[in-house]
Amino acid sequence: MSKVHRNAIRGDLVLSNNSLQRLRERRRILLTAFDSAAWAMALTFAVLARMDFDARMVRWGPLAASWFLVVTVYIALAWRQRLHHGRAELASLEEIFTLGSVIGGSGVVLFAVNAALTDPWVPRSVPLMSIFVVLVITGGCRAVWRVSDEVDRRFRPMDNSVPVLILGAGDGGRQLIRSMRRAAERGWNKRATDVSWEPVGLLDNDLSKRHLRIYGVPVLGTVADLQTVARAVGASVLVVAIPSIGAAALRTVTEAALASGLTVKVLPGVSELLDGRVDITSVRDINMEDILGRHQVETDVESIASCVTGRRVLVTGAGGSIGSELCRQLHKYHPSELIMLDRDESALHAVQLSIHGRAMLDSSDIVLGDIRDGQFVETLFRARKPQVVFHAAALKHLPLLEQYPSEAVKTNIWGTLTVLEAARDNDVETFVNISTDKAADPCSVLGYSKRIAEGLTASIAVQSSGTYLSVRFGNVLGSRGSVLVSFAAQVAAGGPVTVTDPDVTRFFMTVREAVELVIQAAAIGRDGEALVLDMGKAVRIDDVARQLINMSGRPCDIEYTGLRAGEKLHELLLGAGEPDERPIHPLVSHVQVPGSNGLNVLLLDPSDSPTTLVASMADMCLTMGEEVAQLSPHGTV
């Protein structure tokens, strides 16, 4: 087809589309006029049929009166039911049902009035016969209009349309196809460079749907036929329209689609589509949360916001991945004062900017300081009197801490003890210590230091009138230092992607889940406990790496480096002897943590050799649970 010919067709179609648009704008008037005419035709036909089609026997005056009465009643009922206002889609089941009830009601009124007359306007059977004739005329013409409109859209040549395959012939797929059709129609008068999505086929594993067509789009096969169907219809995009699809199934579909050269997009999960409406704007790119199967744990944050609202709240490590998101979420619940503490001035600038939209760094809500400085911490607590403390400040990179265990002692252990004692001495009501799954049966410096910090929190809980507890979770998707961030950078650089071991597994959670668990812990946690989120099944890191490579479309090698010092092949959420008790939330375990001996903690010597220091921490974790000596203020014996 020549460019001139194509442009001529486009011009004709634009004129046609403009005409259709003008008709739609006058929908109410046109439908009312058409239905009134349908009543005239139905009454005339019914009377003629009753008179054996002898027009000489028809009394045209009374017939006109009958038409005037029934149309008046019809228009009144139609107005009340908003029949002509576009409440329901043209020729939809809902509109046909409403149309039938309005026609039936109008016909019954005419029948009653006509029957009550001494000299009936028309034979008594005519009103009842007219009801069926009008329904056939009005319903049939509406159906023909809708079918022709859909056929027009279906075969309308679009220069910039993208052929799309849709996986899922259920409600999600049905609503998505309808939205794509409407979006293409609305965008017909836009720039010639605009791109629209054109659904060209459906895939569904339900064999009972193999002959199904949805708005003219056929089911062409199952997931097993993906490559063949995609090649046959020339599709370039696959949209997974099954919000409840599992992570394993999604990984399989994604791999097959990427192998076929298709871009994969998904509908959000069911929890994200609360209103049940699916349209083209709901479609988004696939992400690692979909692949990893991290279905959000819905914590009831709103109901426990009272523990934060109107209270003075301190967050240590406020510039970190967890701390910054924690500050953003807490800000929504309107604490009387939100104190954000960090030793990184750039991180404080970033978190203040994300919350307030500006970062002048001159307000009292940000505090620059180090939790290693006992005098500073005590002064801060005495001056600001926080009622709720979220302790997120920590060193967390496992390989680095293996080289420098003294730094883990100074920050993760002594720093935590300093904050705990200041909280105790200043009557903090709720203290939440953020821990890690590496504290369960620890074998690394990070795990040892976090396990001891959990024990210190439990010990202070015994001495304080407030509630002191820990929250333990695994890797946070997208946080700084996360394996996903490292993999993405390696893929962007062309590889290789480094994986420690082909069988290594890890637990993952989203930042939102982590923060909501921390906030909820402030309300449901009990003294000395560690709250542990049920994070589902552990994920093979090798699978994550391969999936990221596939999603990037870039060929990259995977290099196995071997487990580093202190790394486990498989992480645990609960240590040996820790029962899985869930008394409050079905997905949150409550673990009673034994206390750490504070005097032993203070006797740790950072000047010892790394080997000696690590051995001391390991021994301390083994002896946790013994009688805890009285801790002295500010880290002094």
Side-chain angles (χ1 to χ4, degrees):
M1 181 183 294
S2 69
K3 183 176 181 180
V4 173
H5 191 196
R6 186 167 60 247
N7 288 339
I9 292 176
R10 175 182 288 276
D12 291 342
L13 287 169
V14 167
L15 290 174
S16 173
N17 191 64
N18 289 339
S19 299
L20 291 174
Q21 184 62 33
R22 285 195 295 272
L23 287 176
R24 291 188 181 94
E25 292 171 356
R26 297 174 174 81
R27 168 188 177 121
R28 191 180 308 169
I29 297 174
L30 292 174
L31 285 177
T32 302
F34 174 77
D35 292 350
S36 300
W39 272 111
M41 290 186 286
L43 286 169
T44 302
F45 174 80
V47 170
L48 287 172
R50 182 68 175 78
M51 301 300 178
D52 296 327
F53 294 96
D54 186 352
R56 293 173 300 176
M57 298 179 63
V58 177
R59 297 192 300 164
W60 297 103
L63 177 59
S66 301
W67 173 83
F68 181 79
L69 173 63
V70 75
V71 166
T72 301
V73 175
Y74 177 81
I75 292 174
L77 293 177
W79 182 276
R80 180 176 179 81
Q81 297 297 321
R82 298 295 189 266
L83 175 62
H84 300 141
H85 291 66
R87 170 177 288 181
E89 189 175 2
L90 193 70
S92 65
L93 183 62
E94 182 181 355
E95 194 206 31
I96 295 300
F97 179 81
T98 305
L99 179 67
S101 63
V102 172
I103 290 174
S106 306
V108 168
V109 170
L110 176 59
F111 173 80
V113 172
N114 185 67
L117 295 175
T118 305
D119 182 17
W121 290 333
V122 293
R124 289 183 173 87
S125 60
V126 166
L128 299 180
M129 187 187 306
S130 300
I131 290 175
F132 297 102
V133 177
V134 171
L135 187 56
V136 169
I137 295 174
T138 56
C141 289
R142 280 169 166 80
V144 170
W145 175 277
R146 176 170 176 173
V147 169
S148 63
D149 194 33
E150 289 181 355
V151 169
D152 175 59
R153 290 199 303 266
R154 191 183 313 160
F155 295 104
R156 182 178 293 159
M158 298 292 288
D159 288 343
N160 299 307
S161 62
V162 176
V164 175
L165 267 180
I166 296 175
L167 175 60
D171 290 339
R174 181 180 300 276
Q175 293 182 51
L176 186 58
I177 291 174
R178 183 169 58 186
S179 177
M180 287 180 178
R181 297 289 196 205
R182 288 176 173 173
E185 179 182 345
R186 288 193 300 268
W188 184 246
N189 293 322
K190 294 183 179 180
R191 301 183 308 271
T193 56
D194 285 347
V195 175
S196 64
W197 286 6
E198 177 64 23
V200 294
L202 287 152
L203 298 174
D204 201 291
N205 284 339
D206 186 349
L207 296 180
S208 67
K209 297 179 179 179
R210 62 185 180 274
H211 300 301
L212 180 66
R213 284 178 175 265
I214 298 177
Y215 300 115
V217 181
V219 174
L220 300 176
T222 66
V223 175
D225 305 315
L226 175 60
Q227 292 184 340
T228 303
V229 172
R231 192 180 307 113
V233 299
S236 57
V237 175
L238 173 71
V239 178
V240 180
I242 308 175
S244 60
I245 190 171
L250 184 57
R251 282 196 295 270
T252 301
V253 170
T254 302
E255 290 171 1
L258 293 173
S260 303
L262 297 174
T263 301
V264 182
K265 295 184 180 292
V266 296
L267 287 178
V270 174
S271 63
E272 300 176 62
L273 298 173
L274 297 179
D275 60 359
R277 295 183 61 83
V278 174
D279 61 32
I280 195 170
T281 62
S282 304
V283 177
R284 59 168 170 76
D285 291 331
I286 192 170
N287 58 37
M288 286 309 301
E289 293 180 23
D290 301 312
I291 296 299
L292 294 175
R294 285 305 304 136
H295 301 300
Q296 295 280 0
V297 175
E298 298 299 327
T299 48
D300 190 9
V301 178
E302 295 289 347
S303 66
I304 55 90
S306 58
C307 72
V308 173
T309 303
R311 305 170 81 79
R312 296 182 299 277
V313 180
L314 169 66
V315 178
T316 70
S321 303
I322 296 296
S324 59
E325 179 64 20
L326 186 56
C327 290
R328 285 187 286 271
Q329 294 294 333
L330 290 171
H331 177 72
K332 298 177 182 178
Y333 298 106
H334 308 293
S336 63
E337 190 176 5
L338 178 59
I339 308 164
M340 297 177 285
L341 167 64
D342 204 290
R343 66 178 181 176
D344 185 340
E345 58 181 346
S346 297
L348 286 174
H349 178 275
V351 69
Q352 189 181 50
L353 183 64
S354 68
I355 292 174
H356 301 293
R358 57 182 181 82
M360 302 302 293
L361 300 180
D362 57 358
S363 57
S364 62
D365 61 337
I366 56 173
V367 177
L368 183 63
D370 196 333
I371 62 169
R372 293 182 177 187
D373 185 343
Q375 187 58 51
F376 160 77
V377 172
E378 175 61 29
T379 301
L380 173 65
F381 272 75
R382 193 184 310 117
R384 306 295 286 272
K385 291 292 182 182
Q387 297 166 287
V388 180
V389 174
F390 294 96
H391 179 48
L395 299 177
K396 66 176 185 178
H397 290 284
L398 187 148
L400 202 58
L401 293 182
E402 290 296 314
Q403 297 184 62
Y404 304 101
S406 61
E407 296 303 306
V409 170
K410 294 174 185 177
T411 297
N412 294 358
I413 298 177
W414 287 357
T416 298
L417 178 58
T418 298
V419 176
L420 280 165
E421 291 184 325
R424 177 198 63 193
D425 296 344
N426 289 274
D427 300 319
V428 167
E429 299 169 12
T430 304
F431 188 103
V432 180
N433 169 52
I434 297 178
S435 188
T436 170
D437 57 357
K438 292 170 179 59
D441 289 344
C443 65
S444 63
V445 172
L446 174 59
Y448 294 144
S449 65
K450 283 296 193 176
R451 179 65 170 177
I452 293 170
E454 288 183 359
L456 289 171
T457 304
S459 297
I460 293 293
V462 176
Q463 307 168 28
S464 172
S465 59
T467 301
Y468 288 66
L469 63 137
S470 299
V471 179
R472 186 189 298 171
F473 46 73
N475 296 274
V476 177
L477 291 172
S479 63
R480 287 188 294 183
S482 166
V483 66
L484 298 186
V485 176
S486 301
F487 283 174
Q490 291 175 336
V491 169
V497 176
T498 56
V499 178
T500 54
D501 188 281
D503 295 320
V504 69
T505 62
R506 292 293 181 265
F507 293 101
F508 287 92
M509 69 189 307
T510 67
V511 174
R512 197 197 87 181
E513 280 180 304
V515 168
E516 289 193 358
L517 177 65
V518 170
I519 297 175
Q520 184 138 38
I524 69 174
R526 297 170 299 195
D527 260 357
E529 289 184 332
L531 270 61
V532 185
L533 175 68
D534 182 346
M535 302 181 66
K537 294 182 179 179
V539 178
R540 290 179 72 243
I541 299 299
D542 190 55
D543 291 342
V544 175
R546 294 183 185 279
Q547 194 63 55
L548 275 173
I549 293 171
N550 289 337
M551 290 170 62
S552 72
R554 301 181 180 184
C556 292
D557 294 329
I558 293 181
E559 180 180 313
Y560 298 104
T561 60
L563 290 174
R564 296 167 293 188
E567 280 192 320
K568 298 177 182 177
L569 189 63
H570 306 294
E571 294 287 3
L572 302 171
L573 292 173
L574 299 171
E578 292 183 335
D580 188 359
E581 298 178 352
R582 309 183 185 195
I584 299 176
H585 194 289
L587 294 178
V588 179
S589 301
H590 292 240
V591 176
Q592 195 66 39
V593 178
S596 296
N597 191 312
L599 292 178
N600 289 343
V601 165
L602 296 174
L603 293 175
L604 288 171
D605 189 353
S607 64
D608 285 343
S609 69
T611 302
T612 301
L613 191 55
V614 171
S616 298
M617 286 191 285
D619 289 341
M620 188 171 296
C621 289
L622 290 175
T623 59
M624 281 174 60
E626 296 178 356
E627 184 176 354
V628 179
Q630 177 70 32
L631 296 177
S632 57
H634 319 312
T636 58
V637 181

PDB file of all heavy atoms in Angstrom, residues 206-221:
ATOM      1  N   ASP A 206      -6.335 -23.225  30.081  1.00  0.00           N
ATOM      2  CA  ASP A 206      -7.650 -23.850  30.231  1.00  0.00           C
ATOM      3  C   ASP A 206      -8.125 -24.287  28.845  1.00  0.00           C
ATOM      4  O   ASP A 206      -8.498 -23.460  28.005  1.00  0.00           O
ATOM      5  CB  ASP A 206      -8.630 -22.851  30.847  1.00  0.00           C
ATOM      6  CG  ASP A 206      -9.981 -23.488  31.158  1.00  0.00           C
ATOM      7  OD1 ASP A 206     -10.224 -24.628  30.704  1.00  0.00           O
ATOM      8  OD2 ASP A 206     -10.801 -22.831  31.831  1.00  0.00           O
ATOM      9  N   LEU A 207      -8.110 -25.594  28.604  1.00  0.00           N
ATOM     10  CA  LEU A 207      -8.458 -26.108  27.278  1.00  0.00           C
ATOM     11  C   LEU A 207      -9.911 -25.843  26.910  1.00  0.00           C
ATOM     12  O   LEU A 207     -10.262 -25.861  25.723  1.00  0.00           O
ATOM     13  CB  LEU A 207      -8.176 -27.613  27.221  1.00  0.00           C
ATOM     14  CG  LEU A 207      -6.694 -28.011  27.375  1.00  0.00           C
ATOM     15  CD1 LEU A 207      -6.544 -29.529  27.292  1.00  0.00           C
ATOM     16  CD2 LEU A 207      -5.843 -27.334  26.307  1.00  0.00           C
ATOM     17  N   SER A 208     -10.768 -25.591  27.892  1.00  0.00           N
ATOM     18  CA  SER A 208     -12.167 -25.293  27.583  1.00  0.00           C
ATOM     19  C   SER A 208     -12.309 -23.929  26.891  1.00  0.00           C
ATOM     20  O   SER A 208     -13.364 -23.633  26.349  1.00  0.00           O
ATOM     21  CB  SER A 208     -13.016 -25.329  28.860  1.00  0.00           C
ATOM     22  OG  SER A 208     -12.653 -24.267  29.729  1.00  0.00           O
ATOM     23  N   LYS A 209     -11.263 -23.123  26.900  1.00  0.00           N
ATOM     24  CA  LYS A 209     -11.312 -21.796  26.277  1.00  0.00           C
ATOM     25  C   LYS A 209     -10.643 -21.760  24.903  1.00  0.00           C
ATOM     26  O   LYS A 209     -10.424 -20.682  24.352  1.00  0.00           O
ATOM     27  CB  LYS A 209     -10.627 -20.764  27.193  1.00  0.00           C
ATOM     28  CG  LYS A 209     -11.303 -20.585  28.546  1.00  0.00           C
ATOM     29  CD  LYS A 209     -10.553 -19.561  29.391  1.00  0.00           C
ATOM     30  CE  LYS A 209     -11.244 -19.375  30.738  1.00  0.00           C
ATOM     31  NZ  LYS A 209     -10.514 -18.401  31.605  1.00  0.00           N
ATOM     32  N   ARG A 210     -10.319 -22.930  24.344  1.00  0.00           N
ATOM     33  CA  ARG A 210      -9.531 -22.950  23.110  1.00  0.00           C
ATOM     34  C   ARG A 210     -10.260 -22.347  21.917  1.00  0.00           C
ATOM     35  O   ARG A 210      -9.623 -21.977  20.932  1.00  0.00           O
ATOM     36  CB  ARG A 210      -9.079 -24.373  22.794  1.00  0.00           C
ATOM     37  CG  ARG A 210     -10.190 -25.364  22.554  1.00  0.00           C
ATOM     38  CD  ARG A 210      -9.615 -26.768  22.372  1.00  0.00           C
ATOM     39  NE  ARG A 210     -10.636 -27.778  22.127  1.00  0.00           N
ATOM     40  CZ  ARG A 210     -11.297 -28.404  23.077  1.00  0.00           C
ATOM     41  NH1 ARG A 210     -11.052 -28.116  24.346  1.00  0.00           N
ATOM     42  NH2 ARG A 210     -12.204 -29.323  22.791  1.00  0.00           N
ATOM     43  N   HIS A 211     -11.583 -22.259  21.971  1.00  0.00           N
ATOM     44  CA  HIS A 211     -12.333 -21.645  20.866  1.00  0.00           C
ATOM     45  C   HIS A 211     -12.875 -20.260  21.242  1.00  0.00           C
ATOM     46  O   HIS A 211     -13.634 -19.666  20.476  1.00  0.00           O
ATOM     47  CB  HIS A 211     -13.502 -22.543  20.451  1.00  0.00           C
ATOM     48  CG  HIS A 211     -13.074 -23.907  19.986  1.00  0.00           C
ATOM     49  ND1 HIS A 211     -12.219 -24.084  18.917  1.00  0.00           N
ATOM     50  CD2 HIS A 211     -13.378 -25.147  20.463  1.00  0.00           C
ATOM     51  CE1 HIS A 211     -12.012 -25.382  18.744  1.00  0.00           C
ATOM     52  NE2 HIS A 211     -12.692 -26.047  19.669  1.00  0.00           N
ATOM     53  N   LEU A 212     -12.474 -19.761  22.398  1.00  0.00           N
ATOM     54  CA  LEU A 212     -13.020 -18.499  22.900  1.00  0.00           C
ATOM     55  C   LEU A 212     -12.460 -17.297  22.134  1.00  0.00           C
ATOM     56  O   LEU A 212     -11.290 -17.280  21.729  1.00  0.00           O
ATOM     57  CB  LEU A 212     -12.681 -18.356  24.390  1.00  0.00           C
ATOM     58  CG  LEU A 212     -13.162 -17.087  25.102  1.00  0.00           C
ATOM     59  CD1 LEU A 212     -14.680 -17.060  25.162  1.00  0.00           C
ATOM     60  CD2 LEU A 212     -12.572 -17.033  26.514  1.00  0.00           C
ATOM     61  N   ARG A 213     -13.321 -16.304  21.939  1.00  0.00           N
ATOM     62  CA  ARG A 213     -12.900 -15.006  21.413  1.00  0.00           C
ATOM     63  C   ARG A 213     -13.391 -13.935  22.372  1.00  0.00           C
ATOM     64  O   ARG A 213     -14.554 -13.959  22.775  1.00  0.00           O
ATOM     65  CB  ARG A 213     -13.479 -14.749  20.021  1.00  0.00           C
ATOM     66  CG  ARG A 213     -12.779 -15.516  18.909  1.00  0.00           C
ATOM     67  CD  ARG A 213     -13.424 -15.268  17.561  1.00  0.00           C
ATOM     68  NE  ARG A 213     -12.682 -15.916  16.498  1.00  0.00           N
ATOM     69  CZ  ARG A 213     -11.762 -15.330  15.755  1.00  0.00           C
ATOM     70  NH1 ARG A 213     -11.503 -14.043  15.950  1.00  0.00           N
ATOM     71  NH2 ARG A 213     -11.118 -15.994  14.821  1.00  0.00           N
ATOM     72  N   ILE A 214     -12.527 -13.003  22.719  1.00  0.00           N
ATOM     73  CA  ILE A 214     -12.879 -11.893  23.599  1.00  0.00           C
ATOM     74  C   ILE A 214     -12.743 -10.608  22.813  1.00  0.00           C
ATOM     75  O   ILE A 214     -11.638 -10.230  22.408  1.00  0.00           O
ATOM     76  CB  ILE A 214     -11.970 -11.866  24.849  1.00  0.00           C
ATOM     77  CG1 ILE A 214     -12.146 -13.154  25.656  1.00  0.00           C
ATOM     78  CG2 ILE A 214     -12.282 -10.647  25.709  1.00  0.00           C
ATOM     79  CD1 ILE A 214     -11.237 -13.239  26.872  1.00  0.00           C
ATOM     80  N   TYR A 215     -13.874  -9.969  22.564  1.00  0.00           N
ATOM     81  CA  TYR A 215     -13.906  -8.753  21.730  1.00  0.00           C
ATOM     82  C   TYR A 215     -13.169  -8.989  20.414  1.00  0.00           C
ATOM     83  O   TYR A 215     -12.434  -8.135  19.927  1.00  0.00           O
ATOM     84  CB  TYR A 215     -13.291  -7.575  22.478  1.00  0.00           C
ATOM     85  CG  TYR A 215     -14.002  -7.238  23.757  1.00  0.00           C
ATOM     86  CD1 TYR A 215     -13.366  -7.377  24.980  1.00  0.00           C
ATOM     87  CD2 TYR A 215     -15.322  -6.809  23.760  1.00  0.00           C
ATOM     88  CE1 TYR A 215     -14.023  -7.094  26.174  1.00  0.00           C
ATOM     89  CE2 TYR A 215     -15.986  -6.524  24.949  1.00  0.00           C
ATOM     90  CZ  TYR A 215     -15.333  -6.670  26.143  1.00  0.00           C
ATOM     91  OH  TYR A 215     -15.979  -6.385  27.313  1.00  0.00           O
ATOM     92  N   GLY A 216     -13.374 -10.188  19.858  1.00  0.00           N
ATOM     93  CA  GLY A 216     -12.774 -10.511  18.572  1.00  0.00           C
ATOM     94  C   GLY A 216     -11.360 -11.035  18.644  1.00  0.00           C
ATOM     95  O   GLY A 216     -10.804 -11.445  17.629  1.00  0.00           O
ATOM     96  N   VAL A 217     -10.750 -11.058  19.807  1.00  0.00           N
ATOM     97  CA  VAL A 217      -9.378 -11.550  19.948  1.00  0.00           C
ATOM     98  C   VAL A 217      -9.433 -13.023  20.323  1.00  0.00           C
ATOM     99  O   VAL A 217      -9.990 -13.384  21.356  1.00  0.00           O
ATOM    100  CB  VAL A 217      -8.608 -10.753  21.022  1.00  0.00           C
ATOM    101  CG1 VAL A 217      -7.176 -11.270  21.140  1.00  0.00           C
ATOM    102  CG2 VAL A 217      -8.618  -9.271  20.684  1.00  0.00           C
ATOM    103  N   PRO A 218      -8.849 -13.918  19.520  1.00  0.00           N
ATOM    104  CA  PRO A 218      -9.001 -15.358  19.755  1.00  0.00           C
ATOM    105  C   PRO A 218      -7.968 -15.908  20.737  1.00  0.00           C
ATOM    106  O   PRO A 218      -6.864 -15.385  20.881  1.00  0.00           O
ATOM    107  CB  PRO A 218      -8.772 -15.949  18.357  1.00  0.00           C
ATOM    108  CG  PRO A 218      -7.800 -14.997  17.727  1.00  0.00           C
ATOM    109  CD  PRO A 218      -8.153 -13.626  18.253  1.00  0.00           C
ATOM    110  N   VAL A 219      -8.344 -16.984  21.422  1.00  0.00           N
ATOM    111  CA  VAL A 219      -7.389 -17.773  22.196  1.00  0.00           C
ATOM    112  C   VAL A 219      -6.658 -18.674  21.210  1.00  0.00           C
ATOM    113  O   VAL A 219      -7.273 -19.503  20.540  1.00  0.00           O
ATOM    114  CB  VAL A 219      -8.100 -18.605  23.283  1.00  0.00           C
ATOM    115  CG1 VAL A 219      -7.104 -19.518  23.984  1.00  0.00           C
ATOM    116  CG2 VAL A 219      -8.780 -17.689  24.295  1.00  0.00           C
ATOM    117  N   LEU A 220      -5.337 -18.522  21.131  1.00  0.00           N
ATOM    118  CA  LEU A 220      -4.560 -19.195  20.094  1.00  0.00           C
ATOM    119  C   LEU A 220      -3.782 -20.399  20.602  1.00  0.00           C
ATOM    120  O   LEU A 220      -3.147 -21.093  19.803  1.00  0.00           O
ATOM    121  CB  LEU A 220      -3.584 -18.197  19.450  1.00  0.00           C
ATOM    122  CG  LEU A 220      -4.235 -16.989  18.780  1.00  0.00           C
ATOM    123  CD1 LEU A 220      -3.169 -16.021  18.275  1.00  0.00           C
ATOM    124  CD2 LEU A 220      -5.126 -17.432  17.630  1.00  0.00           C
ATOM    125  N   GLY A 221      -3.813 -20.637  21.908  1.00  0.00           N
ATOM    126  CA  GLY A 221      -3.081 -21.792  22.418  1.00  0.00           C
ATOM    127  C   GLY A 221      -2.818 -21.650  23.897  1.00  0.00           C
ATOM    128  O   GLY A 221      -3.404 -20.817  24.592  1.00  0.00           O
TER     129      GLY A 221
END
